[in-house]
Amino acid sequence: MDAGLLWTAGGTLAGCFALGLTSWQLRLQIRERRPGRTSGESEQRALPGPATVPVLAPVRSLPAEIRGRQEQLRELVGLAERPVGRVVVLAGLGGIGKSTIAAALAERVQAGIRRHVWWVSAAEPGSLIAGMLAVARVLGASVAEQEAIASGTPQAPDALWAVLEREKHRWLLVIDNADAPQALAVPGAPAGSTSVADGRGWLRVPRTGLVVVTTRQVDAATWGRGVLMRRVERLGPADAGRILRDLAPHGGTEEEAASLGDRLGGLPLALHLAGSYLGSDFALTRRFADYQRALDGSPQSMDLLTPDPDLSGDARSTVMYTWETSLDALARYGVPQARTLLRLLSCFGAATPIPDDLLQVGLLARLLPAEAATPTEQVIWLEQGMRGLIRLGLVSRLPASSEDGDDRALILHPVVADVSRAHLVADRRAGRPVAGAIGSTAADLITEALAKLEQDRPSDWPAFRLLAPHFRALLNTTADSLGPRDLTRIARSAGTLTDYYEWSGPAALGEEVARAALAAVSRLPAGDQEVLGLRYWLGRSLSLQGRWQEADTGLRLLHAAQVEHLGAEARDTLRTEGELARIVADLGRYPEAGAALRSVLAAQERTLGARHPDTLDTYHALGRVAARRKRWDEAESMFRTACDGRAAVFGIDHPATLASRNRLAWTVGQQGRLQEAEAELRTILGIRRALFGDEHHDTLATRERLGWVVALDGRLPEAEEELGAVVSARTRLLGADYLGTLNATVLLAQVIARRGRPAEARAMLDGVHQRQVRLFGADHPHTRETYELIGGLG
């Protein structure tokens, strides 16, 4: 019996919850907020903090013996022992036991076959990327490789597999709940251009490792060649009965257990839930035969609540009956909140760790009974409900992901989550007030948790990675039932999350969040300030992906709406106007961009002040435009103003200040003050290397500028070596089409030409020019400059 559940005859819990409960005590994290938001320029992002996403296999929850799967386990263990890598896909119904087989394999592998075992959830794109990032960190990936993986760009899987294939020891990677196989294809690629079967995404056949995928997708063609498909079938009556007797040894004879196991359809999830109930101290009946008679007489209306579309109507009712019976038992014995808490948890991501800290007792007011008046009583209410759910197997607790064991998380089986969501929908349609309270509470929990985080603070990024999948799930499960207050908070949090993705790298994920949130909050007025702000972050995410025309169109429509609803000189309106000007500069229309930025600057200085972060962003943007036009005196003045202001507001070594210092030093070097420029660039390089590592994109930006200053000083071999390293790193991590890769390649080609190798330089410039024509057009200034350089080589 679970020591945490000591039930009395009266149906109350013993005093084990009274003191020492730390899991859900009020954890009000008071954080110092920065005075303002800096621009999202790529140079200003920072290094992700330590990984907190659990990638440990859930072996603690395994039964003592895995019934009916010995043959499949033996085959998998045999594959794990071989030196040649394989991919195995375990496919079958939800609740059929795929994850249990994978966890049992992980347990055996951990016992001595391999050094590394990882468990990554593919239930949500965010949890997949966060898990892969944690795997790479364990294997000692460089900062640049981690950044590439976190970016969610097409190069992300390449970076991951470069790390995996360096590992000399054999390993096991379980990708769990990959029910949407396309999520394992090349991320960020155009729709229809790639699939998981082509082997270019997250799923590849390794040289020495073993990859096991669990999924409901049983079509072998989906997974491609080189993948070993294994169907996971229902258990036979004998094995099903043994599972029931393992959990409820006094429930009856082997024949009765086998009969009930057959009636439960041989589904391990249903068997586990029924056995847990029958073996508990609070079951109304503890006999297999009695449970089967009750099951045979249960109403069939539950067929409408479908846990898995592949299950027959009778099987759906059977699965439903198991946990509804358990929840009824908890209610009879004084824990009615278990059903409410299960519905609440189903609003978040299934098969994705739900951190304990998300369930802040102070935000559960709508769900708490009147008698839970004090903080201690409220914590007890939550603890009792969660312990009951865990005891019955409806919710599982993940092993701690930190050494001190303080970071704990819960996880909900996908089938349980699906059915609980269906119940919640049915309750809403029936007009039951508790359904609306649950949805609103879920929105409060996730939006409040996100509000405590800072997008540009690297130490907060692990928390963002944990919360992002649950926010995305909330958009799909609950947003359509929320009122204006909650939708406004959703829009604000979506903007925060999109901004986080900008800082941490994967702008494509930011775009997905922004679009999904805009659809979810479409019932809000078009002039709602939070909706307008979310449209801005969508435009930013498009611009960061180089989709400048698309971003320009969307932001111009937004700007007109902001002028109408907020006023021409409102802060948000000016921010959008400044972003439009930066996009115009990216499109190569420098005079137009400069004029627009000066107009914005004048309004910002008048309304916000000269030292406001938004104003300093505009000074920095003006410096970039002046530098592109080779107006070096003007560029130096703008960057120096931005640098001084940012140093005063944020500090001399803040990423935003370093960005302006970096640009300022480059501008100084372009004016011939090479020693001054080199000294400053080496200082910045030392800071960035210490903060981010040698191949972080901020560090590479400084190395690129330092390489060119060295070239201007005539030290061509040193310059070629440095610029060559920058081009190599950017190509490997970000791709040959990345703007920074193209710019550094042009500089490297000029150095090579000056060293007397014009043919090699011309070939490099021809490749850059072809890409620029395709990406920017033949008339873009970057394209024309490269063409002129090619002509100068003869």
Side-chain angles (χ1 to χ4, degrees):
M1 176 182 175
D2 190 333
L5 282 176
L6 301 178
W7 300 88
T8 66
T12 60
L13 288 173
C16 58
F17 300 116
L19 296 173
L21 299 178
T22 60
S23 296
W24 285 285
Q25 296 288 0
L26 297 179
R27 303 178 185 180
L28 302 179
Q29 303 174 32
I30 301 174
R31 301 174 182 267
E32 178 184 357
R33 299 189 66 87
R34 293 203 173 102
R37 168 72 171 90
T38 63
S39 71
E41 184 179 349
S42 65
E43 286 184 348
Q44 298 172 34
R45 300 180 189 136
L47 176 67
T52 61
V53 177
V55 288
L56 303 174
V59 297
R60 295 183 184 179
S61 59
L62 283 172
E65 185 172 350
I66 308 299
R67 301 290 189 181
R69 308 300 191 192
Q70 286 78 11
E71 185 176 340
Q72 286 180 311
L73 270 174
R74 277 195 296 270
E75 180 188 23
L76 291 171
V77 171
L79 291 171
E81 292 173 338
R82 295 177 185 175
V84 178
R86 293 300 299 264
V87 173
V88 180
V89 173
L90 299 177
L93 299 173
I96 203 69
K98 305 179 296 290
S99 298
T100 297
I101 296 173
L105 171 66
E107 183 180 52
R108 285 154 176 76
V109 168
Q110 286 174 339
I113 298 174
R114 298 173 188 267
R115 174 176 296 182
H116 295 299
V117 175
W118 306 290
W119 189 281
V120 173
S121 171
E124 293 283 344
S127 65
L128 175 65
I129 291 177
M132 295 304 192
L133 180 61
V135 170
R137 280 203 174 102
V138 171
L139 290 177
S142 70
V143 171
E145 287 169 330
Q146 294 177 36
E147 186 179 52
I149 294 167
S151 72
T153 62
Q155 289 75 36
D158 293 335
L160 170 73
W161 278 95
V163 176
L164 285 172
E165 298 294 25
R166 285 201 303 266
E167 175 56 34
K168 298 178 181 178
H169 298 276
R170 289 178 292 171
W171 45 263
L172 169 65
L173 170 62
V174 176
I175 303 177
D176 192 34
N177 288 296
D179 297 330
Q182 188 61 26
L184 300 180
V186 177
S193 66
T194 181
S195 72
V196 65
D198 62 28
R200 296 185 293 115
W202 297 108
L203 184 63
R204 305 180 184 184
V205 179
R207 287 200 298 266
T208 59
L210 175 62
V211 180
V212 175
V213 179
T214 71
T215 180
R216 299 184 195 184
Q217 177 53 258
V218 299
D219 183 8
T222 299
W223 301 99
R225 299 175 61 184
V227 171
L228 188 62
M229 285 286 299
R230 290 293 180 264
R231 288 290 299 266
V232 180
E233 305 291 353
R234 301 170 190 250
L235 294 170
D239 286 319
R242 291 186 185 102
I243 289 178
L244 291 171
R245 284 173 61 82
D246 289 341
L247 295 167
H250 304 296
T253 66
E254 291 183 10
E255 291 75 14
E256 290 171 331
S259 177
L260 177 57
D262 186 49
R263 178 64 178 83
L264 290 169
L267 288 170
L269 175 62
L271 295 167
H272 174 71
L273 295 175
S276 296
Y277 167 78
L278 290 168
S280 71
D281 294 331
F282 52 93
L284 189 62
T285 176
R286 297 179 186 171
R287 304 293 299 178
F288 300 137
D290 293 338
Y291 192 94
Q292 184 167 344
R293 280 192 290 270
L295 177 59
D296 290 338
S298 65
Q300 298 299 307
S301 60
M302 291 183 289
D303 289 354
L304 299 176
L305 304 170
T306 308
D308 192 302
D310 295 324
L311 292 178
S312 67
D314 185 57
R316 290 197 296 268
S317 292
T318 298
V319 173
M320 280 291 306
Y321 180 86
T322 57
W323 59 70
E324 286 302 308
T325 297
S326 298
L327 291 172
D328 288 342
L330 284 173
R332 284 194 303 272
Y333 279 84
V335 193
Q337 65 267 37
R339 178 176 271 105
T340 300
L341 289 172
L342 188 63
R343 305 285 193 266
L344 176 68
L345 292 175
S346 75
C347 296
F348 303 125
T352 304
I354 303 172
D356 277 5
D357 279 343
L358 181 60
L359 300 180
Q360 295 287 327
V361 176
L363 299 176
L364 299 176
R366 296 183 186 89
L367 308 180
L368 291 167
E371 57 269 22
T374 69
T376 298
E377 290 169 338
Q378 293 167 4
V379 170
I380 292 174
W381 179 89
L382 177 58
E383 283 279 359
Q384 287 179 348
M386 294 308 306
R387 285 177 183 262
L389 291 173
I390 293 169
R391 174 69 178 86
L392 288 172
L394 290 163
V395 174
S396 299
R397 180 171 294 287
L398 288 178
S401 59
S402 62
E403 292 183 0
D404 60 12
D406 188 50
D407 295 329
R408 295 189 291 171
L410 305 164
I411 196 162
L412 202 60
H413 191 286
V415 175
V416 177
D418 289 346
V419 175
S420 296
R421 290 168 183 170
H423 270 300
L424 198 54
V425 170
D427 288 344
R428 289 174 192 151
R429 291 173 180 170
R432 297 186 179 95
V434 68
I438 289 172
S440 187
T441 299
D444 280 350
L445 292 172
I446 197 73
T447 56
E448 184 67 21
L450 287 170
K452 293 176 181 177
L453 306 176
E454 294 284 357
Q455 303 93 299
D456 58 348
R457 182 170 16 219
S459 59
D460 284 352
W461 291 3
F464 272 114
R465 285 194 292 271
L466 280 173
L467 294 173
H470 301 299
F471 180 81
R472 294 162 63 92
L474 185 73
L475 295 179
N476 296 325
T477 62
T478 305
D480 61 349
S481 68
L482 298 177
R485 168 190 170 275
D486 294 322
L487 290 177
T488 296
R489 290 166 62 90
I490 289 287
R492 184 184 308 127
S493 292
T496 298
L497 194 54
T498 304
D499 190 19
Y500 149 71
Y501 280 127
E502 175 183 323
W503 279 93
S504 61
L509 289 179
E511 178 193 352
E512 290 179 15
V513 168
R515 290 192 185 280
L518 283 170
V521 303
S522 59
R523 289 180 286 117
L524 288 176
D528 183 276
Q529 188 167 359
E530 298 299 340
V531 174
L532 295 174
L534 183 54
R535 289 172 60 186
Y536 169 81
W537 291 117
L538 173 60
R540 286 279 303 177
S541 68
L542 294 172
S543 177
L544 285 171
Q545 296 176 70
R547 293 155 59 186
W548 296 319
Q549 292 288 1
E550 190 177 348
D552 183 79
T553 300
L555 287 174
R556 288 193 186 281
L557 292 173
L558 169 63
H559 184 259
Q562 287 175 323
V563 170
E564 176 185 355
H565 295 288
L566 306 179
E569 291 196 348
R571 179 189 174 187
D572 287 354
T573 307
L574 293 174
R575 183 178 61 175
T576 300
E577 196 172 337
E579 184 61 29
L580 280 167
R582 284 185 279 272
I583 291 173
V584 168
D586 287 331
L587 292 169
R589 307 200 305 266
Y590 301 142
E592 179 184 345
L597 284 169
R598 288 190 178 279
S599 175
V600 170
L601 179 65
Q604 287 174 330
E605 288 186 324
R606 184 170 59 254
T607 60
L608 301 175
R611 288 295 177 92
H612 191 278
D614 289 5
T615 309
L616 298 173
D617 287 350
T618 304
Y619 271 110
H620 185 91
L622 277 166
R624 294 182 66 190
V625 171
R628 289 181 181 181
R629 302 181 73 183
K630 296 181 171 51
R631 296 181 175 180
W632 303 116
D633 287 343
E634 180 184 343
E636 179 180 354
S637 175
M638 293 298 173
F639 285 133
R640 197 172 295 281
T641 300
C643 183
D644 292 344
R646 285 174 166 177
V649 173
F650 302 116
I652 192 65
D653 291 341
H654 184 273
T657 311
L658 290 174
S660 293
R661 290 176 63 184
N662 201 56
R663 297 272 184 176
L664 176 60
W666 163 263
T667 305
V668 167
Q670 292 288 354
Q671 296 177 78
R673 289 142 55 196
L674 299 179
Q675 291 184 344
E676 178 185 348
E678 182 176 350
E680 174 67 354
L681 285 170
R682 290 196 183 280
T683 298
I684 297 168
L685 181 60
I687 297 171
R688 283 181 161 173
R689 272 182 167 147
L691 289 174
F692 311 135
D694 204 47
E695 289 191 343
H696 186 272
H697 56 214
D698 284 8
T699 310
L700 291 173
T702 302
R703 292 177 63 187
E704 176 191 325
R705 284 161 174 74
L706 179 60
W708 186 244
V709 168
V710 168
L712 293 177
D713 197 40
R715 289 137 56 195
L716 298 181
E718 181 183 348
E720 181 179 351
E721 180 180 1
E722 190 66 38
L723 289 171
V726 171
V727 170
S728 176
R730 283 181 172 165
T731 302
R732 171 167 43 87
L733 299 169
L734 301 169
D737 287 348
Y738 176 62
L739 180 60
T741 307
L742 297 174
N743 292 342
T745 304
V746 169
L747 297 179
L748 176 60
Q750 293 180 72
V751 171
I752 288 174
R754 289 174 61 185
R755 296 197 69 189
R757 288 141 50 200
E760 182 181 346
R762 184 185 182 94
M764 295 176 66
L765 291 173
D766 280 338
V768 170
H769 185 258
Q770 291 172 13
R771 286 185 166 85
Q772 288 173 330
V773 169
R774 174 168 52 84
L775 295 169
F776 314 133
D779 292 331
H780 192 282
H782 290 344
T783 312
R784 292 200 305 267
E785 289 173 7
T786 303
Y787 184 76
E788 291 170 1
L789 288 172
I790 294 172
L793 293 175

